[in-house]
Amino acid sequence: MDVGARAGFVARGVIYLLVGILALRVAFSDGGGKQADRGGAIAEIAEKPFGSVLLWALGLALVGMALWRLSEALFGQAGADGDKPSKRAMAAARFVFYAFVSYSVLSYAAGDKSSGSGSSDRQTDDVTARALEWTGGQWIVGIAGAVVTGAGLWIAFRALARKYHKHLKMTEMSKRTRQAVDVVGVFGGTVRGAVFATAGGFAIAAAVQHEPGRAKGMDDTLRSFTETPAGPWLLVLIALGLAAFGLFSWANARWRKV
């Protein structure tokens, strides 16, 4: 589990770093047709030399992350309060998420090009449109959007409050390393939370206005930051934050208490 968890953090860091780089391209040149989301990151890796090998390694590392989260759900997390039902439930939810992500990456590596690299925006539109057709669909989409918004605010708060300290072996770091980890942890975590909260807000708008197109995936959510008075520079800040979270994930791979 220790090896699997640390490999998973490395893989997560790679994905966020690539998404940040793709978002920078969008800010300056509309991205050249590339998507600034997980699918775009997977496609970017696939285009590199030995891309297929790298995708297999990435997918297997994410399997390790999923299995580690499953072990936390079954046996509890590291720490004094690791057996709390709420923490086990959160670990179970993360297991499901990483299991899905690892499956999509491995499917793409195995040749299913419709898996993993699909547009998050199109997928979000399709899911939202289907949900709005159900009885009470507006409420379902609205509640889902509120949950995502709440999760984003929670992620940002925990980053600003440096709650991650209790999960890291801070005493094993030098002073400068601790300072660097705090920079990428606070900045990256806050930006990541802001992106989630913004995506949730779009889902709420789609529910209120009964327009599936108002909901946005990661790519369109990031592009929406260029429509603010700050223009592309706000997206530049967001892109740097996502890249910083990638670096923070690598710090977790080294110093996380597993």
Side-chain angles (χ1 to χ4, degrees), residues 64-79:
M65 173 71 88
L67 292 176
W68 172 57
R69 291 302 189 184
L70 177 61
S71 74
E72 288 190 324
L74 294 176
F75 308 113
Q77 300 181 16

Side-chain angles (χ1 to χ4, degrees), residues 18-135:
L18 286 175
V19 170
I21 292 171
L22 291 169
L24 279 176
R25 292 184 189 175
V26 170
F28 291 115
S29 62
D30 197 39
K34 298 292 182 67
Q35 298 163 200
D37 55 17
R38 186 177 67 247
I42 293 173
E44 187 77 5
I45 294 172
E47 294 174 359
K48 297 295 183 285
F50 306 104
S52 178
V53 174
L54 293 174
L55 283 179
W56 279 106
L58 190 72
L60 291 173
L62 290 169
V63 169
M65 173 71 88
L67 292 176
W68 172 57
R69 291 302 189 184
L70 177 61
S71 74
E72 288 190 324
L74 294 176
F75 308 113
Q77 300 181 16
D81 59 349
D83 284 331
K84 290 174 62 175
S86 59
K87 289 187 176 292
R88 288 195 176 198
M90 185 64 70
R94 287 168 172 159
F95 159 68
V96 173
F97 172 76
Y98 283 111
F100 169 76
V101 174
S102 61
Y103 171 78
S104 66
V105 174
L106 290 173
S107 295
Y108 190 92
D112 183 3
K113 303 308 180 185
S114 64
S115 176
S117 65
S119 168
S120 62
D121 304 314
R122 186 177 64 251
Q123 293 168 357
T124 300
D125 286 349
D126 292 345
V127 170
T128 304
R130 285 197 297 270
L132 287 175
E133 293 174 356
W134 301 340
T135 302

